[in-house]
Amino acid sequence: MTQRPRHPSSVIPPHPRHLAAPPAGTADLLAQWMNGKKPTTTTAPRPDHRSGLRFAFYGRTSTTRHQDRVSSQGWQRDMAEHLVAGHGQIIAAYFDVGTSRRIPWRQRTQAAQLMTAASSPESMIDAIVIGEYERAFTGTQFATLYTWCARHGVQLWLPGTGGPVDMSNRDHRALLSLLATQSQREVLRARHRVLAAMHNQATQQGRYLGGRPPYGYRLVDAGPHPNPADARWGRRLQRLAPDPRTAPHVSWMFRQRLAGHSVASIARHLNERGVPCPSSADPDRNRHRSRGAWTLRTVAVILANPRYTGRQTWNRRATGSEGSGSTPALSAKVAHPALVTELDFVAAQQIRAARSTSDGRTRRFALAGLIHCGVCDRRLDSHRNHGRPTYRCRHGHTSTQCAGQPRPKTLYIREDHLVDEIHIRLGVQDDDGHARLKSARARSSRVAIALRDSGQYVVCDSAGWRLKEIDSS
């Protein structure tokens, strides 16, 4: 591998541990004594740091909450310095903090800077040394970086190979394959242990496992941490307790729902009464949300949250797919005060179920998504009116908003009228060449297919309708 040209005139910043070094020779004598070696009395010449390879060290730590950056970086760098001892010196260090190993190197802040510096024409880096394989790579990341290093003439050193990696060496290839498998296995095992422990804590202990408390609750102290080591450090548990400001509104929502009121009417009444929505009631924990009004989804999510029964839940968003390693958890006993009984909660979910049609058939709208409003450029909503499929646009107005707000007149379009006109405009014919299809449903489907095939959609307003090309850019 070709070695890069050196730049003796360049100044290399020292590593921080060398800034406050003891008097010359003291550290070496003490280290020899600690290792059980007899100190030498002869004065050895000081090493020439301009000789040998110039290394760039790379390390990584996943989190800052549960890992100490200083100690993690320290032991990884110690491994790297022990590896390069006698072959050169580390002239630069790159350490990613709070970055998952699953993230590609080019998307890691420090790793990307290292690759930029090493590939520069003025680069002083001859080799990259890694403190630990599992900290730096997973999957095919090592193979990708090795190819990149070979292309730029940079060596890649690993503790497992005892020096530079040589992919032409059969032993190196076998070792790296083993390290890649071990790294992936470590991730899966750690993930399985954590998820299994959290599932047990939620189901058997009813423990609160973090996150924003649901609307209607607040966090209160629940005593010392059950782990003695964490308890000695002062860590304490938390649990949910009713919030005097918002809990009454949650109970009112369930009463309204059980009385047969729609989700939209509940949201509208909350807005009319000026009740703060969750993002307004707790702005510190909802900085990523706009402090707007109540919406259908906000009310629906509250009415579907089983935590209001006093049971603790966790991982309710799990897909349950194979290999996920976790399933939604529900505590076996009541973990905090309830705002609604379990019977009332289940009854509210039944009211939430969609009503079936009188004839038991599924309603289909052939032109759904193909009709836009010429006033506000929104897609028209599909709904049935007097037993016929129709489309409408309320120009952004929803049933959660107060009545009387100024807005354009609602636009209504009957599907059968529009299909007849489009049918004539496009000259749609059936397979037998007849101008009219046998049924209105088949006629609408054929017009929808013709619109999509032609790359067009319909724009409607009070003056009429027109076809417009779909912008593929």
Side-chain angles (χ1 to χ4, degrees):
M1 188 174 295
T2 305
Q3 185 171 331
R4 293 175 175 272
R6 309 191 189 292
H7 303 272
S9 59
S10 301
V11 178
I12 301 173
H15 187 265
R17 71 176 65 183
H18 298 149
L19 295 179
T26 304
D28 293 338
L29 293 175
L30 184 59
Q32 292 178 22
W33 176 82
M34 290 287 292
N35 292 326
K37 297 180 181 180
K38 184 177 180 180
T40 57
T41 57
T42 57
T43 303
R46 300 188 63 178
D48 183 4
H49 293 295
R50 292 176 297 178
S51 63
L53 296 175
R54 296 163 298 183
F55 290 89
F57 160 75
Y58 177 77
R60 183 197 64 85
T61 183
S62 300
T63 64
T64 56
R65 182 176 180 180
H66 301 291
Q67 291 177 306
D68 179 16
R69 170 180 177 173
V70 177
S71 59
S72 180
Q73 183 176 0
W75 71 259
Q76 291 183 56
R77 173 138 185 177
D78 286 342
M79 293 284 291
E81 289 186 341
H82 178 74
L83 176 62
V84 305
H87 302 280
Q89 67 165 336
I90 296 176
I91 65 171
Y94 298 86
F95 196 82
D96 277 308
V97 179
T99 303
S100 171
R101 79 183 75 188
R102 294 180 179 271
I103 299 178
W105 269 54
R106 292 189 180 277
Q107 297 180 19
R108 306 179 192 177
T109 304
Q110 292 294 314
Q113 293 180 9
L114 169 57
M115 297 178 70
T116 301
S119 60
S120 173
E122 295 80 17
S123 173
M124 294 169 29
I125 298 174
D126 301 320
I128 298 175
V129 58
I130 307 297
E132 185 184 53
Y133 180 95
E134 289 80 3
R135 291 282 179 170
F137 306 107
T138 187
T140 61
Q141 292 177 357
F142 175 82
T144 302
L145 182 65
Y146 180 84
T147 303
W148 180 90
C149 288
R151 185 168 63 250
H152 290 85
V154 178
Q155 296 183 10
L156 187 56
W157 287 48
L158 292 177
T161 58
V165 178
D166 182 8
M167 294 303 291
S168 63
N169 187 315
R170 182 178 59 182
D171 294 339
H172 282 199
R173 292 197 303 269
L175 174 62
L176 292 171
S177 177
L178 177 63
L179 290 175
T181 303
Q182 179 179 339
S183 176
Q184 186 65 20
R185 182 171 178 267
E186 179 186 353
V187 173
L188 295 177
R189 288 186 61 191
R191 183 173 184 269
H192 172 75
R193 287 194 297 265
V194 171
L195 293 180
M198 296 179 72
H199 189 278
N200 181 272
Q201 290 170 357
T203 56
Q204 303 302 321
Q205 305 175 32
R207 189 186 300 185
Y208 171 76
L209 298 176
R212 294 190 304 273
Y215 180 82
Y217 284 107
R218 61 178 179 173
L219 293 176
V220 297
D221 183 77
H225 198 280
N227 188 316
D230 290 328
R232 284 194 296 269
W233 283 98
R235 294 191 62 188
R236 302 183 67 83
L237 294 180
Q238 292 181 311
R239 65 176 180 86
L240 298 176
D243 187 344
R245 299 179 299 110
T246 56
H249 301 310
V250 175
S251 300
W252 177 85
M253 290 184 214
F254 279 99
R255 290 196 301 270
Q256 293 293 305
R257 191 58 171 153
L258 291 172
H261 293 280
S262 66
V263 175
S265 65
I266 295 175
R268 184 171 61 253
H269 283 117
L270 289 170
N271 289 327
E272 291 175 349
R273 291 163 48 196
V275 176
C277 64
S279 59
S280 299
D282 193 1
D284 292 338
R285 290 191 177 93
N286 293 275
R287 298 177 181 177
H288 61 295
R289 302 182 186 272
S290 60
R291 303 177 188 178
W294 288 89
T295 63
L296 272 74
R297 176 163 178 79
T298 304
V299 176
V301 168
I302 290 177
L303 293 175
N305 191 344
R307 279 187 174 182
Y308 294 111
T309 64
R311 301 281 197 96
Q312 187 58 267
T313 63
W314 174 76
N315 201 33
R316 287 182 58 223
R317 295 186 179 182
T319 59
S321 58
E322 183 178 356
S324 62
S326 62
T327 56
L330 179 68
S331 63
K333 58 182 180 181
V334 174
H336 50 265
L339 300 184
V340 61
T341 65
E342 293 187 14
L343 292 178
D344 287 345
F345 178 84
V346 174
Q349 309 315 303
Q350 299 300 323
I351 297 175
R352 180 175 177 268
R355 293 177 297 178
S356 59
T357 58
S358 58
D359 53 8
R361 293 183 299 178
T362 303
R363 303 305 185 190
R364 293 183 174 88
F365 299 87
L367 301 182
L370 293 174
I371 309 177
H372 288 232
C373 177
V375 178
C376 63
D377 199 32
R378 289 182 171 89
R379 293 182 181 180
L380 269 65
D381 300 324
S382 306
H383 77 124
R384 294 186 67 83
N385 189 16
H386 298 292
R388 294 186 296 263
T390 59
Y391 303 89
R392 69 179 179 183
C393 181
R394 297 189 291 181
H395 316 292
H397 176 77
T398 66
S399 54
T400 63
Q401 298 175 0
C402 302
Q405 296 181 355
R407 59 186 176 91
K409 184 179 179 180
T410 301
L411 177 67
Y412 285 96
I413 302 293
R414 282 179 53 174
E415 184 180 280
D416 54 350
H417 290 174
L418 187 59
V419 165
D420 287 340
E421 297 180 17
I422 298 176
H423 187 274
I424 297 174
R425 173 79 64 87
L426 296 180
V428 181
Q429 296 182 350
D430 63 2
D431 296 335
D432 299 329
H434 298 292
R436 180 173 295 275
L437 300 178
K438 296 180 179 179
S439 67
R441 181 181 301 175
R443 187 182 181 87
S444 300
S445 299
R446 182 56 64 87
V447 169
I449 294 174
L451 285 173
R452 291 187 173 92
D453 291 344
S454 62
Q456 296 177 309
Y457 64 93
V458 183
V459 178
C460 295
D461 53 29
S462 58
W465 66 275
R466 63 186 184 276
L467 296 177
K468 189 175 180 180
E469 296 290 335
I470 298 177
D471 186 7
S472 59
S473 59

